[in-house]
PDB file of all heavy atoms in Angstrom:
ATOM      1  N   VAL X  63     252.784  39.687  43.254  1.00  0.00           N
ATOM      2  CA  VAL X  63     253.972  39.024  43.694  1.00  0.00           C
ATOM      3  C   VAL X  63     254.969  40.033  44.315  1.00  0.00           C
ATOM      4  O   VAL X  63     255.563  39.772  45.355  1.00  0.00           O
ATOM      5  CB  VAL X  63     254.646  38.272  42.506  1.00  0.00           C
ATOM      6  CG1 VAL X  63     256.091  37.889  42.860  1.00  0.00           C
ATOM      7  CG2 VAL X  63     253.844  37.035  42.143  1.00  0.00           C
ATOM      8  N   TYR X  64     255.114  41.179  43.664  1.00  0.00           N
ATOM      9  CA  TYR X  64     256.117  42.162  44.104  1.00  0.00           C
ATOM     10  C   TYR X  64     255.674  42.942  45.357  1.00  0.00           C
ATOM     11  O   TYR X  64     256.531  43.471  46.056  1.00  0.00           O
ATOM     12  CB  TYR X  64     256.498  43.117  42.964  1.00  0.00           C
ATOM     13  CG  TYR X  64     257.433  42.531  41.996  1.00  0.00           C
ATOM     14  CD1 TYR X  64     257.110  42.275  40.662  1.00  0.00           C
ATOM     15  CD2 TYR X  64     258.773  42.159  42.420  1.00  0.00           C
ATOM     16  CE1 TYR X  64     258.029  41.714  39.766  1.00  0.00           C
ATOM     17  CE2 TYR X  64     259.682  41.642  41.504  1.00  0.00           C
ATOM     18  CZ  TYR X  64     259.325  41.443  40.231  1.00  0.00           C
ATOM     19  OH  TYR X  64     260.226  40.923  39.301  1.00  0.00           O
ATOM     20  N   VAL X  65     254.384  43.008  45.590  1.00  0.00           N
ATOM     21  CA  VAL X  65     253.860  43.821  46.728  1.00  0.00           C
ATOM     22  C   VAL X  65     253.177  42.948  47.759  1.00  0.00           C
ATOM     23  O   VAL X  65     252.470  43.514  48.614  1.00  0.00           O
ATOM     24  CB  VAL X  65     252.935  44.964  46.230  1.00  0.00           C
ATOM     25  CG1 VAL X  65     253.638  45.837  45.213  1.00  0.00           C
ATOM     26  CG2 VAL X  65     251.671  44.385  45.669  1.00  0.00           C
ATOM     27  N   ILE X  66     253.422  41.639  47.720  1.00  0.00           N
ATOM     28  CA  ILE X  66     252.665  40.770  48.655  1.00  0.00           C
ATOM     29  C   ILE X  66     252.973  41.063  50.101  1.00  0.00           C
ATOM     30  O   ILE X  66     252.141  40.968  50.941  1.00  0.00           O
ATOM     31  CB  ILE X  66     252.979  39.280  48.265  1.00  0.00           C
ATOM     32  CG1 ILE X  66     251.971  38.370  48.941  1.00  0.00           C
ATOM     33  CG2 ILE X  66     254.413  38.929  48.636  1.00  0.00           C
ATOM     34  CD1 ILE X  66     250.618  38.456  48.432  1.00  0.00           C
ATOM     35  N   GLY X  67     254.250  41.407  50.391  1.00  0.00           N
ATOM     36  CA  GLY X  67     254.591  41.718  51.722  1.00  0.00           C
ATOM     37  C   GLY X  67     253.835  42.875  52.317  1.00  0.00           C
ATOM     38  O   GLY X  67     253.174  42.782  53.367  1.00  0.00           O
ATOM     39  N   PRO X  68     253.888  44.067  51.639  1.00  0.00           N
ATOM     40  CA  PRO X  68     253.127  45.216  52.101  1.00  0.00           C
ATOM     41  C   PRO X  68     251.627  44.915  52.135  1.00  0.00           C
ATOM     42  O   PRO X  68     250.907  45.457  52.995  1.00  0.00           O
ATOM     43  CB  PRO X  68     253.443  46.311  51.080  1.00  0.00           C
ATOM     44  CG  PRO X  68     254.801  45.940  50.598  1.00  0.00           C
ATOM     45  CD  PRO X  68     254.790  44.434  50.576  1.00  0.00           C
ATOM     46  N   LEU X  69     251.098  44.128  51.186  1.00  0.00           N
ATOM     47  CA  LEU X  69     249.707  43.795  51.203  1.00  0.00           C
ATOM     48  C   LEU X  69     249.316  43.022  52.477  1.00  0.00           C
ATOM     49  O   LEU X  69     248.296  43.310  53.109  1.00  0.00           O
ATOM     50  CB  LEU X  69     249.334  42.951  49.996  1.00  0.00           C
ATOM     51  CG  LEU X  69     249.117  43.680  48.686  1.00  0.00           C
ATOM     52  CD1 LEU X  69     248.892  42.709  47.557  1.00  0.00           C
ATOM     53  CD2 LEU X  69     247.941  44.673  48.783  1.00  0.00           C
ATOM     54  N   ARG X  70     250.163  42.079  52.879  1.00  0.00           N
ATOM     55  CA  ARG X  70     249.898  41.262  54.073  1.00  0.00           C
ATOM     56  C   ARG X  70     249.954  42.206  55.320  1.00  0.00           C
ATOM     57  O   ARG X  70     249.135  42.055  56.246  1.00  0.00           O
ATOM     58  CB  ARG X  70     250.908  40.185  54.173  1.00  0.00           C
ATOM     59  CG  ARG X  70     250.659  39.043  53.165  1.00  0.00           C
ATOM     60  CD  ARG X  70     251.841  38.075  53.172  1.00  0.00           C
ATOM     61  NE  ARG X  70     251.598  36.955  52.230  1.00  0.00           N
ATOM     62  CZ  ARG X  70     252.538  36.165  51.842  1.00  0.00           C
ATOM     63  NH1 ARG X  70     253.780  36.245  52.322  1.00  0.00           N
ATOM     64  NH2 ARG X  70     252.278  35.177  50.990  1.00  0.00           N
ATOM     65  N   THR X  71     250.939  43.104  55.309  1.00  0.00           N
ATOM     66  CA  THR X  71     250.992  44.014  56.455  1.00  0.00           C
ATOM     67  C   THR X  71     249.749  44.916  56.552  1.00  0.00           C
ATOM     68  O   THR X  71     249.220  45.056  57.637  1.00  0.00           O
ATOM     69  CB  THR X  71     252.248  44.930  56.297  1.00  0.00           C
ATOM     70  OG1 THR X  71     253.430  44.098  56.281  1.00  0.00           O
ATOM     71  CG2 THR X  71     252.335  45.898  57.473  1.00  0.00           C
ATOM     72  N   ALA X  72     249.361  45.456  55.469  1.00  0.00           N
ATOM     73  CA  ALA X  72     248.154  46.299  55.379  1.00  0.00           C
ATOM     74  C   ALA X  72     246.927  45.471  55.803  1.00  0.00           C
ATOM     75  O   ALA X  72     246.013  45.990  56.506  1.00  0.00           O
ATOM     76  CB  ALA X  72     247.934  46.880  54.048  1.00  0.00           C
ATOM     77  N   SER X  73     246.853  44.209  55.350  1.00  0.00           N
ATOM     78  CA  SER X  73     245.745  43.360  55.668  1.00  0.00           C
ATOM     79  C   SER X  73     245.621  43.129  57.230  1.00  0.00           C
ATOM     80  O   SER X  73     244.554  43.223  57.782  1.00  0.00           O
ATOM     81  CB  SER X  73     245.871  42.035  54.971  1.00  0.00           C
ATOM     82  OG  SER X  73     244.798  41.165  55.305  1.00  0.00           O
ATOM     83  N   SER X  74     246.796  42.904  57.830  1.00  0.00           N
ATOM     84  CA  SER X  74     246.816  42.717  59.302  1.00  0.00           C
ATOM     85  C   SER X  74     246.388  43.965  60.003  1.00  0.00           C
ATOM     86  O   SER X  74     245.708  43.889  61.024  1.00  0.00           O
ATOM     87  CB  SER X  74     248.238  42.295  59.749  1.00  0.00           C
ATOM     88  OG  SER X  74     248.572  41.038  59.161  1.00  0.00           O
ATOM     89  N   GLN X  75     246.817  45.116  59.539  1.00  0.00           N
ATOM     90  CA  GLN X  75     246.448  46.389  60.189  1.00  0.00           C
ATOM     91  C   GLN X  75     244.899  46.625  60.088  1.00  0.00           C
ATOM     92  O   GLN X  75     244.326  47.024  61.060  1.00  0.00           O
ATOM     93  CB  GLN X  75     247.202  47.515  59.495  1.00  0.00           C
ATOM     94  CG  GLN X  75     248.723  47.557  59.729  1.00  0.00           C
ATOM     95  CD  GLN X  75     249.405  48.577  58.887  1.00  0.00           C
ATOM     96  OE1 GLN X  75     248.832  49.152  57.936  1.00  0.00           O
ATOM     97  NE2 GLN X  75     250.683  48.793  59.184  1.00  0.00           N
ATOM     98  N   ILE X  76     244.371  46.320  58.933  1.00  0.00           N
ATOM     99  CA  ILE X  76     242.989  46.517  58.818  1.00  0.00           C
ATOM    100  C   ILE X  76     242.177  45.522  59.718  1.00  0.00           C
ATOM    101  O   ILE X  76     241.157  45.882  60.339  1.00  0.00           O
ATOM    102  CB  ILE X  76     242.502  46.333  57.287  1.00  0.00           C
ATOM    103  CG1 ILE X  76     243.066  47.448  56.458  1.00  0.00           C
ATOM    104  CG2 ILE X  76     241.007  46.233  57.187  1.00  0.00           C
ATOM    105  CD1 ILE X  76     242.806  47.295  54.983  1.00  0.00           C
ATOM    106  N   GLU X  77     242.652  44.340  59.830  1.00  0.00           N
ATOM    107  CA  GLU X  77     242.035  43.355  60.679  1.00  0.00           C
ATOM    108  C   GLU X  77     242.087  43.768  62.150  1.00  0.00           C
ATOM    109  O   GLU X  77     241.113  43.627  62.897  1.00  0.00           O
ATOM    110  CB  GLU X  77     242.701  42.001  60.525  1.00  0.00           C
ATOM    111  CG  GLU X  77     241.983  40.892  61.325  1.00  0.00           C
ATOM    112  CD  GLU X  77     242.638  39.518  61.150  1.00  0.00           C
ATOM    113  OE1 GLU X  77     243.819  39.488  60.863  1.00  0.00           O
ATOM    114  OE2 GLU X  77     241.928  38.511  61.374  1.00  0.00           O
ATOM    115  N   GLU X  78     243.173  44.327  62.537  1.00  0.00           N
ATOM    116  CA  GLU X  78     243.304  44.872  63.945  1.00  0.00           C
ATOM    117  C   GLU X  78     242.346  46.045  64.217  1.00  0.00           C
ATOM    118  O   GLU X  78     241.776  46.138  65.300  1.00  0.00           O
ATOM    119  CB  GLU X  78     244.726  45.322  64.158  1.00  0.00           C
ATOM    120  CG  GLU X  78     245.757  44.194  64.255  1.00  0.00           C
ATOM    121  CD  GLU X  78     247.160  44.722  64.495  1.00  0.00           C
ATOM    122  OE1 GLU X  78     247.340  45.951  64.641  1.00  0.00           O
ATOM    123  OE2 GLU X  78     248.148  43.924  64.488  1.00  0.00           O
ATOM    124  N   GLU X  79     242.118  46.840  63.201  1.00  0.00           N
ATOM    125  CA  GLU X  79     241.262  48.033  63.363  1.00  0.00           C
ATOM    126  C   GLU X  79     239.782  47.665  63.271  1.00  0.00           C
ATOM    127  O   GLU X  79     238.955  48.280  63.977  1.00  0.00           O
ATOM    128  CB  GLU X  79     241.648  49.050  62.256  1.00  0.00           C
ATOM    129  CG  GLU X  79     243.052  49.625  62.413  1.00  0.00           C
ATOM    130  CD  GLU X  79     243.440  50.395  61.180  1.00  0.00           C
ATOM    131  OE1 GLU X  79     242.592  50.571  60.298  1.00  0.00           O
ATOM    132  OE2 GLU X  79     244.605  50.825  61.129  1.00  0.00           O
ATOM    133  N   THR X  80     239.443  46.739  62.406  1.00  0.00           N
ATOM    134  CA  THR X  80     238.010  46.480  62.101  1.00  0.00           C
ATOM    135  C   THR X  80     237.529  45.103  62.602  1.00  0.00           C
ATOM    136  O   THR X  80     236.371  44.836  62.701  1.00  0.00           O
ATOM    137  CB  THR X  80     237.766  46.601  60.617  1.00  0.00           C
ATOM    138  OG1 THR X  80     238.460  45.544  59.938  1.00  0.00           O
ATOM    139  CG2 THR X  80     238.195  47.943  60.081  1.00  0.00           C
ATOM    140  N   GLY X  81     238.485  44.195  62.845  1.00  0.00           N
ATOM    141  CA  GLY X  81     238.120  42.846  63.207  1.00  0.00           C
ATOM    142  C   GLY X  81     237.825  41.931  61.992  1.00  0.00           C
ATOM    143  O   GLY X  81     237.449  40.813  62.116  1.00  0.00           O
ATOM    144  N   ILE X  82     237.919  42.512  60.817  1.00  0.00           N
ATOM    145  CA  ILE X  82     237.644  41.731  59.591  1.00  0.00           C
ATOM    146  C   ILE X  82     238.845  41.828  58.654  1.00  0.00           C
ATOM    147  O   ILE X  82     239.451  42.944  58.403  1.00  0.00           O
ATOM    148  CB  ILE X  82     236.443  42.370  58.810  1.00  0.00           C
ATOM    149  CG1 ILE X  82     235.171  42.322  59.756  1.00  0.00           C
ATOM    150  CG2 ILE X  82     236.171  41.617  57.525  1.00  0.00           C
ATOM    151  CD1 ILE X  82     234.001  43.043  59.137  1.00  0.00           C
ATOM    152  N   ARG X  83     239.283  40.682  58.166  1.00  0.00           N
ATOM    153  CA  ARG X  83     240.412  40.612  57.261  1.00  0.00           C
ATOM    154  C   ARG X  83     239.960  40.859  55.846  1.00  0.00           C
ATOM    155  O   ARG X  83     239.081  40.169  55.356  1.00  0.00           O
ATOM    156  CB  ARG X  83     241.109  39.244  57.364  1.00  0.00           C
ATOM    157  CG  ARG X  83     242.549  39.291  56.824  1.00  0.00           C
ATOM    158  CD  ARG X  83     243.269  38.008  57.215  1.00  0.00           C
ATOM    159  NE  ARG X  83     244.673  38.073  56.863  1.00  0.00           N
ATOM    160  CZ  ARG X  83     245.644  38.522  57.600  1.00  0.00           C
ATOM    161  NH1 ARG X  83     245.309  39.033  58.813  1.00  0.00           N
ATOM    162  NH2 ARG X  83     246.879  38.557  57.224  1.00  0.00           N
ATOM    163  N   PRO X  84     240.449  41.895  55.162  1.00  0.00           N
ATOM    164  CA  PRO X  84     240.003  42.215  53.841  1.00  0.00           C
ATOM    165  C   PRO X  84     240.423  41.256  52.765  1.00  0.00           C
ATOM    166  O   PRO X  84     241.422  40.538  52.953  1.00  0.00           O
ATOM    167  CB  PRO X  84     240.590  43.620  53.588  1.00  0.00           C
ATOM    168  CG  PRO X  84     241.855  43.552  54.358  1.00  0.00           C
ATOM    169  CD  PRO X  84     241.581  42.744  55.624  1.00  0.00           C
ATOM    170  N   SER X  85     239.700  41.247  51.668  1.00  0.00           N
ATOM    171  CA  SER X  85     240.087  40.377  50.580  1.00  0.00           C
ATOM    172  C   SER X  85     241.058  41.154  49.653  1.00  0.00           C
ATOM    173  O   SER X  85     241.247  42.342  49.787  1.00  0.00           O
ATOM    174  CB  SER X  85     238.853  39.958  49.757  1.00  0.00           C
ATOM    175  OG  SER X  85     238.472  41.018  48.852  1.00  0.00           O
ATOM    176  N   ILE X  86     241.647  40.424  48.748  1.00  0.00           N
ATOM    177  CA  ILE X  86     242.633  41.068  47.838  1.00  0.00           C
ATOM    178  C   ILE X  86     241.995  42.052  46.922  1.00  0.00           C
ATOM    179  O   ILE X  86     242.651  42.869  46.302  1.00  0.00           O
ATOM    180  CB  ILE X  86     243.341  39.918  47.055  1.00  0.00           C
ATOM    181  CG1 ILE X  86     244.632  40.476  46.406  1.00  0.00           C
ATOM    182  CG2 ILE X  86     242.437  39.295  45.982  1.00  0.00           C
ATOM    183  CD1 ILE X  86     245.463  39.414  45.751  1.00  0.00           C
ATOM    184  N   LEU X  87     240.672  41.979  46.800  1.00  0.00           N
ATOM    185  CA  LEU X  87     239.932  42.940  45.895  1.00  0.00           C
ATOM    186  C   LEU X  87     239.481  44.167  46.628  1.00  0.00           C
ATOM    187  O   LEU X  87     238.876  45.055  46.046  1.00  0.00           O
ATOM    188  CB  LEU X  87     238.743  42.250  45.283  1.00  0.00           C
ATOM    189  CG  LEU X  87     239.022  41.029  44.386  1.00  0.00           C
ATOM    190  CD1 LEU X  87     237.715  40.392  43.859  1.00  0.00           C
ATOM    191  CD2 LEU X  87     239.998  41.384  43.241  1.00  0.00           C
ATOM    192  N   SER X  88     239.777  44.232  47.943  1.00  0.00           N
ATOM    193  CA  SER X  88     239.318  45.400  48.748  1.00  0.00           C
ATOM    194  C   SER X  88     240.031  46.700  48.356  1.00  0.00           C
ATOM    195  O   SER X  88     241.279  46.732  48.423  1.00  0.00           O
ATOM    196  CB  SER X  88     239.494  45.090  50.233  1.00  0.00           C
ATOM    197  OG  SER X  88     239.285  46.274  50.982  1.00  0.00           O
ATOM    198  N   PRO X  89     239.336  47.746  47.965  1.00  0.00           N
ATOM    199  CA  PRO X  89     239.955  49.038  47.714  1.00  0.00           C
ATOM    200  C   PRO X  89     240.725  49.586  48.886  1.00  0.00           C
ATOM    201  O   PRO X  89     241.746  50.214  48.808  1.00  0.00           O
ATOM    202  CB  PRO X  89     238.803  49.938  47.283  1.00  0.00           C
ATOM    203  CG  PRO X  89     237.731  49.019  46.847  1.00  0.00           C
ATOM    204  CD  PRO X  89     237.882  47.796  47.686  1.00  0.00           C
ATOM    205  N   ALA X  90     240.154  49.329  50.099  1.00  0.00           N
ATOM    206  CA  ALA X  90     240.812  49.841  51.323  1.00  0.00           C
ATOM    207  C   ALA X  90     242.180  49.204  51.542  1.00  0.00           C
ATOM    208  O   ALA X  90     243.079  49.841  52.040  1.00  0.00           O
ATOM    209  CB  ALA X  90     239.912  49.533  52.542  1.00  0.00           C
ATOM    210  N   LEU X  91     242.332  47.947  51.106  1.00  0.00           N
ATOM    211  CA  LEU X  91     243.622  47.276  51.252  1.00  0.00           C
ATOM    212  C   LEU X  91     244.651  47.894  50.316  1.00  0.00           C
ATOM    213  O   LEU X  91     245.740  48.276  50.733  1.00  0.00           O
ATOM    214  CB  LEU X  91     243.443  45.760  50.880  1.00  0.00           C
ATOM    215  CG  LEU X  91     244.698  44.946  50.911  1.00  0.00           C
ATOM    216  CD1 LEU X  91     245.318  44.910  52.306  1.00  0.00           C
ATOM    217  CD2 LEU X  91     244.413  43.546  50.405  1.00  0.00           C
ATOM    218  N   TRP X  92     244.269  48.097  49.045  1.00  0.00           N
ATOM    219  CA  TRP X  92     245.230  48.668  48.078  1.00  0.00           C
ATOM    220  C   TRP X  92     245.508  50.150  48.322  1.00  0.00           C
ATOM    221  O   TRP X  92     246.563  50.635  47.965  1.00  0.00           O
ATOM    222  CB  TRP X  92     244.670  48.474  46.709  1.00  0.00           C
ATOM    223  CG  TRP X  92     244.736  47.039  46.237  1.00  0.00           C
ATOM    224  CD1 TRP X  92     243.780  46.112  46.335  1.00  0.00           C
ATOM    225  CD2 TRP X  92     245.861  46.358  45.660  1.00  0.00           C
ATOM    226  NE1 TRP X  92     244.165  44.899  45.833  1.00  0.00           N
ATOM    227  CE2 TRP X  92     245.491  45.027  45.427  1.00  0.00           C
ATOM    228  CE3 TRP X  92     247.111  46.765  45.299  1.00  0.00           C
ATOM    229  CZ2 TRP X  92     246.339  44.112  44.849  1.00  0.00           C
ATOM    230  CZ3 TRP X  92     247.987  45.874  44.735  1.00  0.00           C
ATOM    231  CH2 TRP X  92     247.599  44.520  44.512  1.00  0.00           C
ATOM    232  N   ALA X  93     244.589  50.831  49.006  1.00  0.00           N
ATOM    233  CA  ALA X  93     244.791  52.202  49.286  1.00  0.00           C
ATOM    234  C   ALA X  93     245.981  52.453  50.281  1.00  0.00           C
ATOM    235  O   ALA X  93     246.515  53.540  50.370  1.00  0.00           O
ATOM    236  CB  ALA X  93     243.532  52.847  49.908  1.00  0.00           C
ATOM    237  N   ARG X  94     246.288  51.376  51.015  1.00  0.00           N
ATOM    238  CA  ARG X  94     247.413  51.513  52.014  1.00  0.00           C
ATOM    239  C   ARG X  94     248.711  51.091  51.447  1.00  0.00           C
ATOM    240  O   ARG X  94     249.773  51.094  52.174  1.00  0.00           O
ATOM    241  CB  ARG X  94     247.087  50.613  53.210  1.00  0.00           C
ATOM    242  CG  ARG X  94     245.802  51.027  53.967  1.00  0.00           C
ATOM    243  CD  ARG X  94     245.729  50.399  55.287  1.00  0.00           C
ATOM    244  NE  ARG X  94     244.508  50.783  55.985  1.00  0.00           N
ATOM    245  CZ  ARG X  94     244.382  50.726  57.288  1.00  0.00           C
ATOM    246  NH1 ARG X  94     245.395  50.341  58.100  1.00  0.00           N
ATOM    247  NH2 ARG X  94     243.199  51.057  57.881  1.00  0.00           N
ATOM    248  N   VAL X  95     248.785  50.729  50.193  1.00  0.00           N
ATOM    249  CA  VAL X  95     249.998  50.261  49.569  1.00  0.00           C
ATOM    250  C   VAL X  95     250.405  51.167  48.422  1.00  0.00           C
ATOM    251  O   VAL X  95     249.628  51.395  47.503  1.00  0.00           O
ATOM    252  CB  VAL X  95     249.881  48.830  49.079  1.00  0.00           C
ATOM    253  CG1 VAL X  95     251.154  48.377  48.408  1.00  0.00           C
ATOM    254  CG2 VAL X  95     249.508  47.884  50.184  1.00  0.00           C
ATOM    255  N   ASP X  96     251.650  51.673  48.468  1.00  0.00           N
ATOM    256  CA  ASP X  96     252.169  52.448  47.334  1.00  0.00           C
ATOM    257  C   ASP X  96     252.757  51.514  46.379  1.00  0.00           C
ATOM    258  O   ASP X  96     253.913  51.096  46.472  1.00  0.00           O
ATOM    259  CB  ASP X  96     253.222  53.432  47.861  1.00  0.00           C
ATOM    260  CG  ASP X  96     253.705  54.426  46.769  1.00  0.00           C
ATOM    261  OD1 ASP X  96     253.591  54.058  45.539  1.00  0.00           O
ATOM    262  OD2 ASP X  96     254.269  55.482  47.104  1.00  0.00           O
ATOM    263  N   VAL X  97     251.949  51.064  45.385  1.00  0.00           N
ATOM    264  CA  VAL X  97     252.312  49.967  44.498  1.00  0.00           C
ATOM    265  C   VAL X  97     253.637  50.273  43.737  1.00  0.00           C
ATOM    266  O   VAL X  97     254.533  49.468  43.624  1.00  0.00           O
ATOM    267  CB  VAL X  97     251.199  49.615  43.546  1.00  0.00           C
ATOM    268  CG1 VAL X  97     251.634  48.594  42.525  1.00  0.00           C
ATOM    269  CG2 VAL X  97     249.968  49.136  44.280  1.00  0.00           C
ATOM    270  N   GLU X  98     253.658  51.499  43.147  1.00  0.00           N
ATOM    271  CA  GLU X  98     254.850  51.850  42.346  1.00  0.00           C
ATOM    272  C   GLU X  98     256.117  51.812  43.178  1.00  0.00           C
ATOM    273  O   GLU X  98     257.155  51.290  42.777  1.00  0.00           O
ATOM    274  CB  GLU X  98     254.666  53.211  41.712  1.00  0.00           C
ATOM    275  CG  GLU X  98     255.810  53.650  40.822  1.00  0.00           C
ATOM    276  CD  GLU X  98     255.620  55.024  40.218  1.00  0.00           C
ATOM    277  OE1 GLU X  98     254.493  55.578  40.401  1.00  0.00           O
ATOM    278  OE2 GLU X  98     256.532  55.552  39.575  1.00  0.00           O
ATOM    279  N   HIS X  99     256.034  52.396  44.367  1.00  0.00           N
ATOM    280  CA  HIS X  99     257.207  52.493  45.245  1.00  0.00           C
ATOM    281  C   HIS X  99     257.673  51.061  45.677  1.00  0.00           C
ATOM    282  O   HIS X  99     258.822  50.710  45.655  1.00  0.00           O
ATOM    283  CB  HIS X  99     256.906  53.342  46.443  1.00  0.00           C
ATOM    284  CG  HIS X  99     257.911  53.285  47.531  1.00  0.00           C
ATOM    285  ND1 HIS X  99     259.139  53.998  47.420  1.00  0.00           N
ATOM    286  CD2 HIS X  99     257.985  52.591  48.708  1.00  0.00           C
ATOM    287  CE1 HIS X  99     259.866  53.728  48.497  1.00  0.00           C
ATOM    288  NE2 HIS X  99     259.219  52.964  49.308  1.00  0.00           N
ATOM    289  N   GLU X 100     256.649  50.201  46.067  1.00  0.00           N
ATOM    290  CA  GLU X 100     256.939  48.870  46.569  1.00  0.00           C
ATOM    291  C   GLU X 100     257.556  48.012  45.497  1.00  0.00           C
ATOM    292  O   GLU X 100     258.460  47.238  45.719  1.00  0.00           O
ATOM    293  CB  GLU X 100     255.701  48.238  47.194  1.00  0.00           C
ATOM    294  CG  GLU X 100     255.198  48.966  48.421  1.00  0.00           C
ATOM    295  CD  GLU X 100     256.145  48.876  49.560  1.00  0.00           C
ATOM    296  OE1 GLU X 100     257.104  48.051  49.554  1.00  0.00           O
ATOM    297  OE2 GLU X 100     255.968  49.688  50.539  1.00  0.00           O
ATOM    298  N   MET X 101     256.968  48.152  44.251  1.00  0.00           N
ATOM    299  CA  MET X 101     257.524  47.299  43.155  1.00  0.00           C
ATOM    300  C   MET X 101     258.950  47.734  42.843  1.00  0.00           C
ATOM    301  O   MET X 101     259.798  46.853  42.616  1.00  0.00           O
ATOM    302  CB  MET X 101     256.613  47.469  41.914  1.00  0.00           C
ATOM    303  CG  MET X 101     255.273  46.772  42.063  1.00  0.00           C
ATOM    304  SD  MET X 101     254.404  46.740  40.445  1.00  0.00           S
ATOM    305  CE  MET X 101     255.440  45.689  39.458  1.00  0.00           C
ATOM    306  N   ARG X 102     259.211  49.018  42.843  1.00  0.00           N
ATOM    307  CA  ARG X 102     260.579  49.499  42.538  1.00  0.00           C
ATOM    308  C   ARG X 102     261.523  49.008  43.623  1.00  0.00           C
ATOM    309  O   ARG X 102     262.655  48.535  43.284  1.00  0.00           O
ATOM    310  CB  ARG X 102     260.557  51.014  42.433  1.00  0.00           C
ATOM    311  CG  ARG X 102     261.940  51.601  42.024  1.00  0.00           C
ATOM    312  CD  ARG X 102     261.778  53.070  41.735  1.00  0.00           C
ATOM    313  NE  ARG X 102     261.297  53.838  42.886  1.00  0.00           N
ATOM    314  CZ  ARG X 102     260.091  54.406  42.872  1.00  0.00           C
ATOM    315  NH1 ARG X 102     259.281  54.288  41.857  1.00  0.00           N
ATOM    316  NH2 ARG X 102     259.696  55.070  43.990  1.00  0.00           N
ATOM    317  N   ASP X 103     261.135  49.086  44.858  1.00  0.00           N
ATOM    318  CA  ASP X 103     262.005  48.674  45.938  1.00  0.00           C
ATOM    319  C   ASP X 103     262.227  47.193  45.966  1.00  0.00           C
ATOM    320  O   ASP X 103     263.362  46.728  46.149  1.00  0.00           O
ATOM    321  CB  ASP X 103     261.427  49.081  47.291  1.00  0.00           C
ATOM    322  CG  ASP X 103     261.705  50.563  47.628  1.00  0.00           C
ATOM    323  OD1 ASP X 103     262.317  51.228  46.809  1.00  0.00           O
ATOM    324  OD2 ASP X 103     261.341  50.971  48.766  1.00  0.00           O
TER     325      ASP X 103
END
């Protein structure tokens, strides 16, 4: 809930680069999000 915005942004970026939209379980998706920083913000 707290990082959904950055997750969607990262998902769009990966789709632009690879042509495939990653799932929420994709390690590559979470690697692009600083969870602690985003939750705090």
